[in-house]
């Protein structure tokens, strides 16, 4: 319901729409203006996905909603299996009691609103959860294939892709060929197309962002982190890990959590370097999700398994966290989007 309520079309989405219509409807090629062979969109995979749905004669609004709901369901499931793994070390064992990452991410206005925004961000959000799952389940071939698509979704995801390949090689003692072939065939093939069609290796958006504006980037990071208490969330994770480690109650699956954070950092630094983005949160989606997933299983480990009172209190506390997160919204908005929804429903009832 909230995903539909928060649905909107970012102005950059219309750039994709024009490219695709010129390609499929007007037979002008994959261009923004007739005769101008310039790749002005930032996600080849998103353009191809929208193009496939447009080829089925779906309008863009329904295409965006369909992709948004589909990626939301997949995102939710990935946060569940990651939380279970970080709780037990595998997908079996203790019952799932709480899921702090899912609560933090899926009750969050920024995350929910970008599932239906007309741009590639729902794929970036899903890719963040897929990376977390791939770190937890490195033997899963489907996940390896999925993470290979990352550089086709956003060019800066090539860095965490390379880092994850190195970590998997180190961890398993062999190369993750499914991820290598997936990335090599898709990105390699598209780069060859780009060189042939656009006569360039990188898209125009890469050159437009090839700048350093650190001061603005830090403000962009502060805008998001302060709005959703990201610093407090990370401190909570750290405190939980330290406490569990010192009390030696049980393993905290530390390696996977650290890999999630380390892989997210280069994208975070890249966003800070280029000065962020005119839109709230968008460029921070990938590290935001990985930071969120790194806290999986911690509350379940802290709550005594034999204490019903503690479980009840933890459940009430989780409801409080959910309520708090639902009340948060960007400072650029004058009112909480939930109030806008309530006002719209009241208007419909009256009419």
């Amino acid at each position: 319901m909230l995903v539909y309520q928060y649905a909107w079309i970012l102005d950059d989405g219309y750039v994709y729409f024009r490219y695709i219509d010129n390609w499929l409807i007007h037979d002008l090629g994959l261009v923004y203006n007739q005769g101008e062979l310039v790749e002005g969109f930032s996600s080849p995979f998103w353009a191809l996905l929208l193009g496939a749905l447009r080829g089925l004669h779906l309008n863009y609004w329904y295409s965006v909603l369909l992709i948004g709901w589909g990626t939301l369901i997949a995102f939710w499931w990935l946060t569940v299996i990651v939380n279970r793994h970080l709780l037990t070390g595998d997908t079996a064992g203790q019952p799932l009691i709480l899921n702090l990452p899912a609560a933090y991410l899926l009750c969050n206005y920024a995350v929910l609103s970008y599932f239906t925004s007309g741009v590639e961000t729902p794929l970036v959000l899903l890719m963040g959860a897929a990376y977390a799952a791939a770190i937890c389940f490195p033997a899963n071939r489907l996940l390896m294939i999925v993470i290979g698509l990352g550089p086709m979704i956003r060019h800066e995801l090539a860095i965490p892709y390379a880092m994850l390949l190195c970590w998997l090689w180190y961890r398993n003692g062999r190369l993750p060929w499914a991820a290598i072939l997936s990335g090599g065939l898709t990105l390699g093939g598209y780069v060859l197309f780009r060189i042939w069609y656009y006569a360039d290796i990188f898209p125009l958006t890469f050159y437009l962002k090839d700048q350093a504006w650190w001061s603005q980037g830090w403000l962009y990071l502060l805008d998001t982190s302060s709005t959703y208490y990201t610093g407090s969330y990370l401190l909570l994770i750290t405190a939980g890990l330290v406490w569990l480690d010192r009390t030696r109650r049980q393993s905290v699956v530390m390696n996977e959590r650290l890999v999630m954070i380390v892989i997210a950092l280069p994208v975070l630094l890249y966003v800070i370097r280029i000065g962020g983005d005119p839109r709230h949160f968008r460029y921070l989606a990938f590290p935001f999700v990985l930071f969120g997933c790194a806290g999986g299983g911690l509350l379940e480990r802290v709550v005594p398994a034999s204490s019903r009172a503690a479980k009840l209190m933890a459940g009430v506390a989780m409801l409080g966290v959910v309520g708090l997160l639902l009340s948060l919204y960007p400072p650029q908005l004058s009112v909480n989007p939930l109030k806008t929804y309530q006002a719209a429903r009241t208007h419909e009832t009256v009419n």
Side-chain angles (χ1 to χ4, degrees):
M1 182 182 71
L2 288 178
V3 169
Y4 181 77
Q5 160 62 16
Y6 295 155
W8 63 304
I9 299 295
L10 180 65
D11 51 0
D12 286 4
Y14 293 94
V15 174
Y16 287 99
F17 303 163
R18 178 157 171 158
Y19 267 92
I20 293 167
D21 280 354
N22 281 339
W23 171 32
L24 296 179
I25 297 177
H26 304 301
D27 199 26
L28 299 176
L30 198 57
V31 297
Y32 189 82
N33 293 321
Q34 184 176 1
E36 296 181 2
L37 294 175
V38 178
E39 184 183 351
F41 51 87
S42 55
S43 176
F45 192 90
W46 182 248
L48 293 173
L49 181 58
L50 284 178
L53 294 177
R54 188 64 163 164
L56 296 175
H57 305 290
L58 286 178
N59 66 39
Y60 289 118
W61 179 246
Y62 288 123
S63 296
V64 166
L65 290 178
L66 179 64
I67 295 171
W69 286 330
T71 52
L72 173 68
I73 293 171
F75 182 90
W76 166 79
W77 174 242
L78 289 173
T79 61
V80 168
I81 64 173
V82 167
N83 190 75
R84 287 178 178 175
H85 173 82
L86 295 177
L87 168 62
T88 65
D90 51 40
T91 54
Q94 300 179 33
L96 184 64
I97 302 170
L98 301 167
N99 191 331
L100 181 60
Y104 182 66
L105 296 170
L106 290 175
C107 296
N108 192 301
Y109 170 77
V111 174
L112 291 177
S113 66
Y114 272 104
F115 274 110
T116 51
S117 57
V119 292
E120 68 276 5
T121 312
L123 300 182
V124 177
L125 292 165
L126 183 60
M127 191 57 58
Y131 264 71
I135 292 167
C136 295
F137 306 100
N140 188 297
R141 188 166 297 176
L142 177 59
L143 286 171
M144 294 298 107
I145 293 173
V146 169
I147 65 171
L149 302 176
M152 281 282 286
I153 295 174
R154 290 285 308 182
H155 62 263
E156 64 265 25
L157 296 186
I159 301 175
Y161 170 65
M163 294 175 66
L164 185 58
L165 292 184
C166 292
W167 181 77
L168 291 171
W169 186 16
Y170 170 78
R171 181 187 185 278
N172 300 329
R174 63 181 184 274
L175 291 171
W177 285 110
I180 292 173
L181 291 174
S182 173
L185 292 175
T186 55
L187 181 62
Y190 187 79
V191 169
L192 291 177
F193 165 78
R194 180 185 287 148
I195 293 173
W196 169 73
Y197 194 76
Y198 294 115
D200 205 341
I201 297 178
F202 299 105
L204 177 63
T205 53
F206 172 82
Y207 297 106
L208 293 176
K209 290 293 184 181
D210 188 21
Q211 61 179 352
W213 194 4
W214 292 94
S215 60
Q216 181 62 29
W218 285 111
L219 290 175
Y220 183 71
L221 175 62
L222 180 63
D223 176 64
T224 295
S225 60
S226 61
T227 299
Y228 306 109
Y229 298 117
T230 310
S232 300
Y233 180 83
L234 293 175
L235 285 175
L236 178 64
I237 292 175
T238 303
L241 291 173
V242 170
W243 184 76
L244 287 171
D245 180 65
R246 291 193 173 183
T247 57
R248 297 183 178 181
R249 293 179 58 186
Q250 48 192 317
S251 169
V252 291
V253 198
M254 182 68 79
N255 288 342
E256 285 89 344
R257 300 178 196 275
L258 289 177
V259 172
M260 291 178 197
I261 293 173
V262 170
I263 284 179
L265 288 178
V267 177
L268 181 67
L269 291 175
Y270 169 78
V271 174
I272 296 172
R273 176 185 177 274
I274 64 176
D277 180 64
R279 297 295 180 182
H280 174 80
F281 173 76
R282 179 169 65 146
Y283 278 11
L284 294 172
F286 182 79
F288 194 87
V289 171
L290 279 173
F291 288 155
C293 288
L298 280 180
L299 286 186
E300 292 89 338
R301 291 172 179 272
V302 170
V303 175
S306 59
S307 173
R308 291 186 178 182
K311 289 181 180 180
L312 178 61
M313 292 178 62
V316 172
M318 181 61 72
L319 290 176
V321 170
V322 169
L324 172 64
L325 290 167
L326 289 175
S327 71
L328 303 177
Y329 61 94
Q332 293 85 350
L333 300 179
S334 59
V335 66
N336 191 313
L338 285 175
K339 293 184 178 180
T340 305
Y341 174 73
Q342 293 170 354
R345 293 294 296 170
T346 302
H347 179 74
E348 291 175 3
T349 304
V350 170
N351 290 339

